[in-house]
């Protein structure tokens, strides 16, 4: 049988409305300078955004499926239990701006209740985002979907194609925890400024809880979080041209109660010399590279932080163990 000469008109473009813009991605020179500066610092550090290459995004998705990793599951319970209240507070026909959309699953589960006018998915991992949005557009053929490949940590730049009415910023998953509290205020304040008069924010935050629960969430027995942490070195090898040998680095994660944060590090298991074009760093056995902070909050402290950033927390939903909070704010 020969293929049809004229395929059905809709067959070729299964995702006709989908637009993906790659704006404001920093030039590779800037990324290299940032990475090199972090590696030569007395306390070496790699920014957590480098976790999210294609494999890293998949490993993070696997983390969220671990029984020990409580934030995603607990937040999902809150969404499921309070869906009606959330929809009542937020309303429909919003310009739904998903910050760090990942696989877009969390947002998609709200579409039925929230009926957004436009869905804008922003993520640093462009290839991962493209695949997710192609899938999503097939499931929601009539939804206006816009993808934006952007590192929004230092400020969000929304192109003209983004609707300016009823902007709802969706920042779930406790991603805000990667910022120190003072940086979080700066970030949320900038977000407020790009929202307009009728802006809203729906934000999830992981709460302070039993230390054993927190530690297990970031050092799981399967070693998925360890793989996620160590994979950052492969990403850095590709971007900066370093010669990290992943096998020489151990995953370290612990809760620091004084700073109310999880810290993740990579620890050299032997003396290591790392070289890259234009640089070198020697690490003694036991020396660490700081890869992530994940701040935890008390609900009242987080509400104060939101107010300091110019937002009015109007509703807060908790799970029954008070492990996670979802906060709805108006501008
Ligand atoms: C995506 C920043 C919310 O801090 O819990 C998960 C990243 N790191 N396991 C978090 C992460 C290790 C995650 N955030």
């Amino acid at each position: 049988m020969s293929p049809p000469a004229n395929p059905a008109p809709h067959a070729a473009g299964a995702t006709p409305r989908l637009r993906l813009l790659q704006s404001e991605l920093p030039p590779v020179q800037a990324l290299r300078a940032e990475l090199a500066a972090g590696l030569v610092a007395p306390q070496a550090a790699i920014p957590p955004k480098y976790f999210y290459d294609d494999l890293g995004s998949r490993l993070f998705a696997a983390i969220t499926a671990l029984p020990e990793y409580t934030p995603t599951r607990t937040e999902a319970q809150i969404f499921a239990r309070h869906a009606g209240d959330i929809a009542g507070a937020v309303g429909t026909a919003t310009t739904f701006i998903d910050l760090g959309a990942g696989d877009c699953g969390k947002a998609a589960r709200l579409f039925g209740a929230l009926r957004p006018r436009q869905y804008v998915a922003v993520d640093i991992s462009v290839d991962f985002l493209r695949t997710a949005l192609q899938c999503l557009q097939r499931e929601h053929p009539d939804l206006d979907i816009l993808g934006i490949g952007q590192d929004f940590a230092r400020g969000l730049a929304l192109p003209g194609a983004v609707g300016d009415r009823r902007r709802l910023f969706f920042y779930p998953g406790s991603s805000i925890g990667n910022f120190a509290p003072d940086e979080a205020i700066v970030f949320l304040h900038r977000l407020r400024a790009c929202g307009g008069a009728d802006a809203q924010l729906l934000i999830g935050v992981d709460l302070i809880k039993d230390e054993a629960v927190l530690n297990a969430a970031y050092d799981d027995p399967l070693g998925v979080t360890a793989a996620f942490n160590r994979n950052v070195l492969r990403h850095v090898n590709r971007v900066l041209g370093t010669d990290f040998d992943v096998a020489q680095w151990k995953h370290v994660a612990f809760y620091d109660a004084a700073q109310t944060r999880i810290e993740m590090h990579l620890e050299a298991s032997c003396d290591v010399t790392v070289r890259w074009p234009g640089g070198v760093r020697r690490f003694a056995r036991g020396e660490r590279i700081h890869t992530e902070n994940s701040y935890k909050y008390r609900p009242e402290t987080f509400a104060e932080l939101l107010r300091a950033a110019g937002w009015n927390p109007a509703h807060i939903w908790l799970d029954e163990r008070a492990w996670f909070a979802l906060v709805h704010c108006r501008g």
Side-chain angles (χ1 to χ4, degrees), residues 52 60 63 69 173-175 178 218 225 228 264 292 294 296:
Y52 302 96
F60 179 68
I63 286 173
Y69 189 73
S174 202
S175 297
N178 273 168
Y218 292 84
T225 308
F228 173 73
M264 293 215 311
E292 185 172 46
S294 184
K296 311 300 171 187

Side-chain angles (χ1 to χ4, degrees), residues 263-276:
E263 290 186 16
M264 293 215 311
H265 300 260
L266 290 163
E267 183 177 302
S269 53
C270 54
D271 293 347
V272 175
T273 301
V274 179
R275 295 170 207 282
W276 62 94

Side-chain angles (χ1 to χ4, degrees), residues 79 82-94 110-115 166 168 200 202 315 317 326 328 330:
F79 278 128
H82 302 286
D85 283 1
I86 296 166
V90 171
T92 57
T94 53
L110 293 173
F111 287 171
L114 296 188
R115 304 237 144 261
R166 307 214 69 224
L168 167 69
Q200 304 185 70
L202 192 57
H315 300 82
W317 295 279
L326 182 71
H328 173 233
R330 298 190 182 280

Side-chain angles (χ1 to χ4, degrees), residues 48 51-52 59-60 63-64 66 69 71-72 106 171-179 204 206 217-220 224-226 228-229 251 253 262 264 292-296 324:
F51 285 136
Y52 302 96
L59 288 168
F60 179 68
I63 286 173
T64 66
L66 294 170
Y69 189 73
T72 312
K106 287 181 194 175
Y171 201 38
S174 202
S175 297
I176 194 68
N178 273 168
F179 294 100
D206 200 25
Y218 292 84
D219 197 4
D220 64 276
V224 182
T225 308
F228 173 73
N229 194 11
H251 170 65
I262 289 278
M264 293 215 311
E292 185 172 46
N293 292 321
S294 184
Y295 281 83
K296 311 300 171 187
F324 197 92

Side-chain angles (χ1 to χ4, degrees), residues 185-297:
I185 291 174
V186 172
F187 172 75
L188 293 169
H189 197 266
R190 290 205 183 119
L191 211 58
R192 175 66 201 87
C194 78
D198 57 357
Q200 304 185 70
L201 171 67
L202 192 57
I203 185 168
V205 70
D206 200 25
L207 300 177
I208 296 172
K209 61 180 77 61
D210 187 274
E211 283 194 30
V213 175
L214 285 171
N215 284 321
Y218 292 84
D219 197 4
D220 64 276
L222 271 184
V224 182
T225 308
F228 173 73
N229 194 11
R230 295 160 85 208
N231 177 64
V232 81
L233 298 177
R234 293 199 174 164
H235 191 192
V236 173
N237 281 349
R238 289 196 311 274
V239 176
L240 182 57
T242 40
D243 57 357
F244 278 112
D245 175 354
V246 171
Q248 295 175 323
W249 296 86
K250 277 196 327 200
H251 170 65
V252 176
F254 54 85
Y255 183 65
D256 178 340
Q259 305 201 71
T260 73
R261 70 184 194 195
I262 289 278
E263 290 186 16
M264 293 215 311
H265 300 260
L266 290 163
E267 183 177 302
S269 53
C270 54
D271 293 347
V272 175
T273 301
V274 179
R275 295 170 207 282
W276 62 94
V280 60
R281 169 76 190 251
R282 288 182 183 81
F283 294 93
R285 177 172 170 221
E287 216 177 325
R288 290 173 179 174
I289 303 173
H290 189 184
T291 51
E292 185 172 46
N293 292 321
S294 184
Y295 281 83
K296 311 300 171 187
Y297 287 89

Side-chain angles (χ1 to χ4, degrees), residues 84-120:
D85 283 1
I86 296 166
V90 171
T92 57
T94 53
T95 302
F96 187 128
I97 303 169
D98 191 354
L99 301 170
D103 65 9
C104 308
K106 287 181 194 175
R109 282 190 284 280
L110 293 173
F111 287 171
L114 296 188
R115 304 237 144 261
R117 181 185 302 273
Q118 186 184 39
Y119 175 60
V120 182

